[in-house]
Amino acid sequence: MNFTLVEIEELTGKKLKVYSILTEENAENCYTLYDEFIDANRDQFKSEIVYINDRIEVMAKYTGLRDDFLKKDEGSLGDGICALYDKPDSNLRLYFIRYGNVAIVLGGGGHKPKSIRRLKEDPVLKDANYFLRQISAVLADAVREGSLTITNEGLESNTEFNYTIDNDE
């Protein structure tokens, strides 16, 4: 599957650049993974979605990325996968890739009931997290190759950002 990084301008601010993933199948409608997350959870978790959006905006425009708003190490060692909570004791999870304190790439996520302890116990959370792990690996290769640069201004690429993802993982 091919994808492109897109900046979410309405969430981006001076303190943090916010991006999401646009897959080739959703490119025509400009429907990102973050859009999918919102649509999948809007009806059941409307106030939580508003809270997550507000947190992202506050971090992006005023405070920068704050560790007390997120849970680190939600993926493999060194891949930068974190989870953003709607509220500290809530169950809605949004997975993202962290690039220091300058940029985040929003993926998907969903509801994590209190009855499960690990994301692997929920197919929606597992699929969202593992897909983002694959994307993180592709982006790490792009950084090593020089086609993606992380700067104080966010993520910069010198090529159109299309890569192939293995759907089997």
Side-chain angles (χ1 to χ4, degrees):
M1 174 185 301
N2 293 325
F3 72 89
T4 305
L5 279 179
V6 293
E7 184 175 345
I8 303 176
E9 294 180 12
E10 62 270 16
L11 293 178
T12 289
K14 292 184 284 186
K15 300 276 187 177
L16 182 70
K17 299 292 182 192
V18 181
Y19 302 86
S20 191
I21 305 300
L22 182 63
T23 61
E24 65 185 333
E25 58 218 15
N26 292 324
E28 188 173 310
N29 299 327
C30 221
Y31 191 71
T32 67
L33 291 182
Y34 186 58
D35 294 327
E36 289 179 24
F37 169 79
I38 290 173
D39 284 351
N41 294 289
R42 176 182 291 134
D43 291 340
Q44 192 173 1
F45 302 104
K46 184 175 181 156
S47 65
E48 290 89 342
I49 293 290
V50 170
Y51 195 85
I52 284 175
N53 270 335
D54 289 347
R55 272 201 170 177
I56 294 169
E57 279 192 78
V58 166
M59 288 188 299
K61 295 176 181 174
Y62 304 106
T63 67
L65 195 57
R66 297 201 24 199
D67 286 347
D68 57 334
F69 286 168
L70 56 99
K71 183 176 180 188
K72 296 180 189 178
D73 304 322
E74 287 289 292
S76 301
L77 184 63
D79 64 8
I81 306 292
C82 300
L84 184 65
Y85 304 110
D86 51 337
K87 295 179 184 171
D89 295 327
S90 292
N91 300 328
L92 195 60
R93 302 288 187 267
L94 172 64
Y95 296 111
F96 65 93
I97 307 168
R98 178 181 185 168
Y99 290 95
N101 290 325
V102 297
I104 59 175
V105 177
L106 303 176
H111 178 249
K112 182 180 177 196
K114 299 275 188 213
S115 61
I116 66 170
R117 294 183 48 85
R118 304 172 58 134
L119 73 93
K120 291 180 181 181
E121 297 174 39
D122 182 277
V124 172
L125 293 175
K126 181 181 176 187
D127 288 350
N129 184 284
Y130 278 63
F131 184 66
L132 205 55
R133 290 179 193 198
Q134 291 182 47
I135 289 173
S136 177
V138 170
L139 295 177
D141 287 344
V143 169
R144 281 189 291 278
E145 295 166 0
S147 60
L148 176 65
T149 306
I150 304 164
T151 71
N152 288 337
E153 304 302 314
L155 304 177
E156 297 175 4
S157 65
N158 57 10
T159 62
E160 187 174 45
F161 220 52
N162 294 310
Y163 290 92
T164 302
I165 295 291
D166 177 15
N167 281 332
D168 295 333
E169 192 167 310

